[in-house]
Amino acid sequence: MLKIGDFSKLSRISIRMLRHYDEIGILHPECVDDFTGYRYYSEAQLPLAGRIQALKSLGFGLSVIKEILSKYEDAQEMEQFLLVKRKELEEEARETQQKLRYLDSTLKWLRKDGKLMDYNVTVKTLPERYVASVRQVIPAYECEGLLWEIMCRELEPQNVQQAVPGYGLAIFHDEGHKEHDPDVEIQISVVGKYQDTEHVRFKTVPPIQIASATYKGSYEQITRVNAAVANWVVENGYNFDGKSFCIYHVSPGQTSNPEELVTEVCFPVKKK
């Protein structure tokens, strides 16, 4: 039999945690001295202690570990636990990467005096265009690629010719920002006349006056760019006059590097 201190050294689990494991029922001592209250463990419990430590290192909480230990010998059950944890860790990794990109873009745009670099805002008119359009409610803004996949798939049989400039853009039709299920429309300007498909509609879009700012880099800058355009619109005597949209000059379909993206944030405006 091993005293709790010796078992702690061999298992590399602190005495405090061993006592906690006993309280929550995932690793009980082999026996407890009725007179002294001392806990004693056996060498045969070391593999169980190793399992607990291994599961903790994978990110499982103690409540889940207790459930896993009850099914440890069932390979199928174990595989399901591990697959669920893998999915959770992948999502956490994506969120962490997004935060790192935002941090990097913020650092990049900081001036030496600690102020954020300004964005150049201009007013211009987009000309009348004949466009291919796909509009759907999608799960989230970052799922916009689903719409581009639909457009590419359904335009291919007609050999649709893109105009120059193509004005590939995304229009956001909701009144405000939505956490889920935004109503998004994508468009590209095309040359010629074509038949509508299951999801793609061809239409003529009238000219529109916009205030816009172009930035290079990842989507995490969008809030700062929006603020720059909004401040410019207010300070220069304009009113907002329609749905905001983005024009992709270098789109995610053209590069896998977020820092190479070039996006123009656009707001329809009219003079007060």
Side-chain angles (χ1 to χ4, degrees):
M1 300 295 288
L2 299 169
K3 293 181 179 179
I4 191 171
D6 294 329
F7 190 81
S8 172
K9 292 176 182 178
L10 292 169
S11 65
R12 302 181 66 84
I13 302 173
S14 70
I15 292 174
R16 180 183 66 83
M17 286 307 298
L18 285 172
R19 288 172 176 158
H20 182 56
Y21 292 170
D22 182 18
E23 292 172 359
I24 65 176
I26 65 172
L27 179 55
H28 296 298
E30 185 77 11
C31 65
V32 179
D33 189 291
D34 292 335
F35 181 71
T36 63
Y38 290 163
R39 293 173 169 87
Y40 293 92
Y41 295 82
S42 71
E43 295 87 344
Q45 291 180 287
L46 288 170
L48 174 57
R51 291 175 183 177
I52 295 170
Q53 293 298 86
L55 292 169
K56 282 187 65 178
S57 69
L58 292 174
F60 290 104
L62 291 178
S63 61
V64 179
I65 288 175
K66 184 176 181 179
E67 182 182 359
I68 294 175
L69 291 174
S70 68
K71 303 175 181 178
Y72 201 86
E73 301 302 327
D74 188 324
Q76 290 185 343
E77 290 281 358
M78 281 300 301
E79 183 179 16
Q80 287 305 309
F81 280 119
L82 295 175
L83 288 174
V84 169
K85 174 53 66 175
R86 179 180 178 83
K87 186 174 181 180
E88 291 176 0
L89 292 175
E90 287 175 344
E91 181 60 31
E92 290 174 8
R94 282 192 292 270
E95 292 177 357
T96 299
Q97 286 300 315
Q98 184 176 7
K99 291 175 183 177
L100 286 171
R101 287 195 299 269
Y102 183 53
L103 177 63
D104 288 342
S105 68
T106 301
L107 290 170
K108 183 177 179 181
W109 288 96
L110 279 171
R111 294 174 184 255
K112 290 182 179 180
D113 60 4
K115 295 181 180 178
L116 288 172
M117 185 178 292
D118 293 331
Y119 295 90
N120 183 35
V121 180
T122 60
V123 170
K124 62 183 180 182
T125 298
L126 287 185
E128 179 178 283
R129 294 165 292 125
Y130 184 65
V131 304
S133 165
V134 177
R135 177 178 175 178
Q136 288 188 10
V137 173
I138 56 178
Y141 292 105
E142 57 266 29
C143 298
E144 183 187 310
L146 297 172
L147 303 181
W148 292 104
E149 290 174 6
I150 291 171
M151 178 173 285
C152 290
R153 183 172 63 250
E154 297 190 11
L155 292 189
E156 184 176 5
Q158 296 193 62
N159 194 26
V160 174
Q161 181 180 353
Q162 187 168 329
V164 180
Y167 291 115
L169 56 84
I171 305 171
F172 309 105
H173 285 280
D174 297 297
E175 184 176 352
H177 178 81
K178 295 191 70 176
E179 296 293 338
H180 306 285
D181 302 324
D183 181 358
V184 179
E185 177 185 359
I186 62 167
Q187 295 178 357
I188 58 168
S189 299
V190 298
V191 177
K193 296 295 181 179
Y194 306 94
Q195 293 295 317
D196 291 348
T197 66
E198 181 181 359
H199 300 100
V200 180
R201 300 293 178 265
F202 293 92
K203 60 184 180 180
T204 299
V205 179
I208 184 173
Q209 181 176 243
I210 59 171
S212 70
T214 301
Y215 72 93
K216 182 177 181 180
S218 63
Y219 182 78
E220 282 76 14
Q221 296 181 60
I222 192 71
T223 300
R224 296 200 301 270
V225 182
N226 285 344
V229 177
N231 289 336
W232 189 96
V233 168
V234 172
E235 292 173 359
N236 287 271
Y238 286 86
N239 285 326
F240 294 105
D241 189 35
K243 308 295 184 181
S244 66
F245 58 93
C246 290
I247 300 174
Y248 302 116
H249 298 286
V250 178
S251 70
Q254 297 171 291
T255 177
S256 59
N257 183 357
E259 296 307 314
E260 295 178 353
L261 300 173
V262 179
T263 307
E264 185 174 359
V265 177
C266 307
F267 290 87
V269 293
K270 63 179 180 181
K271 201 69 175 177
K272 289 182 180 178

